[in-house]
Amino acid sequence: MTTPKFSYIDILNNDKVIENYNKIDAINPYPFNHGLKHVKNVCSIMDKLCDKLNITWEEKDSLLIACALHDIGQVDGREEHWKKAKLFTITHFENELKDLKYYNDILEAIENHDNV
């Protein structure tokens, strides 16, 4: 298994990501968490699911990156937060992610996770 140079762990440890998810926790009017705790839980579930399904490391890390960034757009409110999350991803991580095989799939997953 080849470990990528940049992974979802780097995203979860990024100061701007932590800052934004902390802001989400502070302003979140919902009875459930959508900050870093929620995102880490989603990543943990996805990690276990990928292991059970024998997903390749490249696919798994791409899925985990999408999980790590899927709610980051809620820093400005819940409405259309998927658009803001996608823009945040492009703005802050395009250089690190653009060469990934599944980069466009990551953006699509972020966009479509709440686009109903």
Side-chain angles (χ1 to χ4, degrees):
M1 167 173 46
T2 304
T3 305
K5 294 178 184 175
F6 186 84
S7 77
Y8 82 102
I9 297 294
D10 297 306
I11 290 171
L12 292 177
N13 290 323
N14 178 275
D15 289 341
K16 186 68 174 172
V17 169
I18 293 168
E19 176 187 334
N20 280 6
Y21 277 126
N22 286 339
K23 285 180 185 177
I24 291 166
D25 275 343
I27 64 168
N28 190 347
Y30 305 102
F32 43 87
N33 176 294
H34 270 88
L36 201 54
K37 180 180 177 183
H38 163 72
V39 168
K40 286 182 177 182
N41 286 339
V42 171
C43 287
S44 177
I45 292 166
M46 179 61 74
D47 185 37
K48 291 172 186 166
L49 183 60
C50 287
D51 287 345
K52 287 182 185 265
L53 296 173
N54 269 340
I55 301 293
T56 68
W57 174 254
E58 189 175 33
E59 293 166 331
K60 178 179 176 176
D61 199 57
S62 295
L63 289 165
L64 290 167
I65 289 168
C67 288
L69 292 166
H70 81 279
D71 274 340
I72 197 81
Q74 287 196 40
V75 73
D76 295 321
R78 183 154 169 75
E79 188 169 320
E80 295 190 329
H81 70 278
W82 54 271
K83 282 183 182 179
K84 298 169 199 163
K86 181 179 176 182
L87 180 60
F88 180 92
T89 302
I90 293 166
T91 302
H92 295 281
F93 296 110
E94 184 170 52
N95 288 338
E96 294 84 0
L97 302 177
K98 67 182 176 187
D99 293 330
L100 293 179
K101 180 178 179 180
Y102 297 107
Y103 177 60
N104 289 327
D105 297 309
I106 291 167
L107 295 177
E108 185 178 341
I110 291 168
E111 181 177 345
N112 289 310
H113 90 274
D114 194 42
N115 187 9
V116 291

